[in-house]
Amino acid sequence: MLIIQPHYHAIARTAQDYERMAQSGVVCVAEPAFWAGFDRKYPETFIDYFRQITEFEPTRAAQYGITHYAWVAVNPKEAENPELSRVVLDAMPEFFKRPNVLGVGETGLHLSSKNECEIFEAQVQLAVDYGQLLLIHTPHLHDKLFGTRKILEILAGFSSLDPDKVWIDHVEEHTIRPIREKGFWTGFTLYPITKCTATRACDMLEVYGWDRMMINSSADWGPSDPFTLQEAVLEFRRRGHSIQDATEIFYNNPCRFLGQNPKFKFKPIKIVEE
Amino acid sequence: METLFKLNNRKMATPILTPSQVLGNYYLDTRWHLLETAAMLDRAQRGEAAHPEDESMKTDPRAQLLREALDVLASDSAEPNRTERLLMIFTKLDPKNEERKD
């Protein structure tokens, strides 16, 4: 089955992950900018990081027949440094012109501090001003509920924001309902311990349907595994759902959301029998 | 397309698993998770016996949250919302959540 991995931190992963993903149906990954595990001191470090995910990483993926897209943003943790963040934000529009950049992401909140909220708002405004897609990270563990509510509150202040162009990620059972009600795209991130599991993601798909739903593995430098995505495919199929419905979730929906940016070349497909 | 429909037949007939199928598919996995939980509690209890000065299982808010979560699992639920209820319990871990109600 063809699979699109819509949230994947390739720079933290090995070539073997690319190889095994390609062997198991992944044809495309999209890489949001994220926290490197330490707070960067210089705006230039971000710029070089953006160059890495827009210049080098596509060539690495291409060796395995995988198309690589990227997002640029200041992540919520480093948004705690607003001076540095503002300089990086000023440089982002140049990256929007790059052939594999799909939008602003992942922005969002971590501890929902005043600085984080300020830089998040600035990045939403940037996405609106430049007509970019928006990928929003929701906080971890016990901070998730409050942070998700705060994100929705901030987004409500943008009257010109089209919810169809916004993807709110790392959703769980206690945060999914208001996101669905507001009409945003919803993402489940599958991690071995935190966030969501394949079985819980499939439960939520069965409860809420799969319109505007996407599943990803994130896969970064922490405990994570890109193949939790294939686990979710298997879990969904084991429950008796059709291969077409699986394709809707794991391939067509990423095409529909990411394809709102004309640079994204993949189109939804239909499985037919001859 | 007819062939495709036949391929999908199980999904068409039963889009949600029957309770019997759920038990068949998940019993062993759930048994494993419950045993892991029991083993963790036993491990902590042995720790209390070996280190009586450490009263974390009585005083650490995380221990209380685990007890609350176990109560949810042990009780009947009118709605299939146990996962959401557990997540709401674990949200209490951050004391700021008490202060920053919106």
Side-chain angles (χ1 to χ4, degrees):
Chain A
M1 195 183 109
L2 295 180
I3 295 170
I4 292 174
Q5 171 71 273
H7 185 147
Y8 184 68
H9 296 294
I11 67 153
R13 310 300 302 191
T14 63
Q16 282 68 33
D17 279 345
Y18 270 134
E19 184 177 36
R20 290 187 296 143
M21 284 197 299
Q23 288 167 346
S24 58
V26 174
V27 293
C28 170
V29 301
E31 176 159 19
F34 82 138
W35 188 56
F38 67 102
D39 293 342
R40 285 161 274 214
K41 282 186 176 178
Y42 314 105
E44 291 81 1
T45 318
F46 277 86
I47 308 303
D48 275 342
Y49 170 46
F50 294 164
R51 286 183 50 236
Q52 182 179 10
I53 61 176
T54 57
E55 295 173 14
F56 173 66
E57 206 55 46
T59 66
R60 206 162 73 101
Q63 292 176 46
Y64 302 94
I66 293 175
T67 304
H68 177 281
Y69 291 95
W71 302 71
V72 291
V74 174
N75 64 83
K77 279 177 82 82
E78 286 168 292
E80 198 50 48
N81 182 342
E83 294 78 21
L84 178 145
S85 299
R86 292 279 179 192
V87 178
V88 178
L89 263 58
D90 286 344
M92 281 166 49
E94 274 306 305
F95 284 91
F96 297 155
K97 299 173 188 168
R98 299 221 166 176
N100 73 329
V101 172
L102 297 173
V104 177
E106 50 187 309
T107 178
L109 298 178
H110 173 58
L111 297 175
S112 306
S113 69
K114 183 174 168 291
N115 286 340
E116 286 180 26
C117 290
E118 177 196 317
I119 296 302
F120 170 56
E121 276 192 72
Q123 294 190 88
V124 176
Q125 188 63 58
L126 202 57
V128 170
D129 291 346
Y130 286 85
Q132 297 293 307
L133 296 174
L134 191 57
L135 165 52
I136 298 174
H137 162 100
T138 55
H140 301 276
L141 301 172
H142 49 268
D143 291 311
K144 186 178 291 293
L145 182 65
F146 180 83
T148 302
R149 288 175 176 168
K150 189 74 186 165
I151 284 166
L152 292 173
E153 184 186 308
I154 290 171
L155 293 178
F158 288 84
S159 56
S160 61
L161 187 68
D162 179 359
D164 205 32
K165 294 194 168 183
V166 180
W167 159 20
I168 300 182
D169 207 8
H170 318 322
V171 164
E172 292 183 75
E173 287 85 346
H174 60 325
T175 56
I176 186 170
R177 210 170 293 120
I179 295 169
R180 304 298 294 162
E181 286 168 2
K182 302 283 182 194
F184 297 112
W185 281 77
T186 308
F188 304 127
T189 300
L190 310 176
Y191 267 26
I193 298 173
T194 58
K195 295 195 172 85
C196 190
T197 61
T199 45
R200 286 170 52 208
C202 291
D203 289 340
M204 285 188 273
L205 289 169
E206 289 179 339
V207 170
Y208 292 96
W210 39 88
D211 175 47
R212 286 170 295 119
M213 294 278 208
M214 284 189 288
I215 304 190
N216 63 83
S217 300
S218 182
D220 51 37
W221 43 260
S224 54
D225 179 359
F227 297 93
T228 51
L229 194 56
Q230 280 80 352
E231 278 177 29
V233 175
L234 175 60
E235 173 65 22
F236 190 73
R237 295 278 289 133
R238 268 182 79 203
R239 296 184 185 196
H241 295 290
S242 70
I243 196 159
Q244 181 64 49
D245 284 340
T247 300
E248 295 300 329
I249 296 159
F250 297 95
Y251 186 90
N252 287 350
N253 277 354
C255 287
R256 291 179 182 115
F257 177 74
L258 302 172
Q260 293 181 88
N261 186 319
K263 294 178 205 166
F264 192 81
K265 69 177 184 182
F266 295 89
K267 305 291 180 202
I269 56 174
K270 185 157 184 64
I271 310 296
V272 293
E273 295 283 331
E274 292 194 345
Chain B
M1 287 303 285
E2 191 181 350
T3 311
L4 182 64
F5 179 77
K6 282 178 184 167
L7 277 174
N8 294 348
N9 196 34
R10 183 179 164 210
K11 186 250 173 182
M12 297 295 180
T14 53
I16 299 293
L17 296 180
T18 64
S20 167
Q21 286 171 323
V22 172
L23 280 171
N25 287 357
Y26 303 102
Y27 170 74
L28 281 177
D29 198 41
T30 306
R31 173 183 180 275
W32 175 74
H33 285 296
L34 288 171
L35 288 170
E36 284 295 314
T37 305
M40 180 271 181
L41 294 172
D42 287 347
R43 205 174 301 136
Q45 196 171 348
R46 286 195 298 272
E48 282 181 304
H51 304 280
E53 73 286 357
D54 185 335
E55 298 191 327
S56 297
M57 288 304 284
K58 296 183 184 71
T59 58
D60 189 317
R62 291 175 297 182
Q64 176 58 29
L65 296 185
L66 289 176
R67 274 191 287 274
E68 286 183 42
L70 289 168
D71 286 344
V72 168
L73 295 185
S75 62
D76 288 333
S77 180
E79 298 291 328
N81 62 356
R82 292 175 185 81
T83 318
E84 183 177 353
R85 287 163 64 196
L86 257 59
L87 284 165
M88 294 301 285
I89 287 171
F90 294 129
T91 296
K92 293 181 196 169
L93 189 59
D94 184 353
K96 285 179 287 188
N97 281 318
E98 295 303 309
E99 299 160 15
R100 57 188 192 182
K101 285 176 185 145
D102 10 17

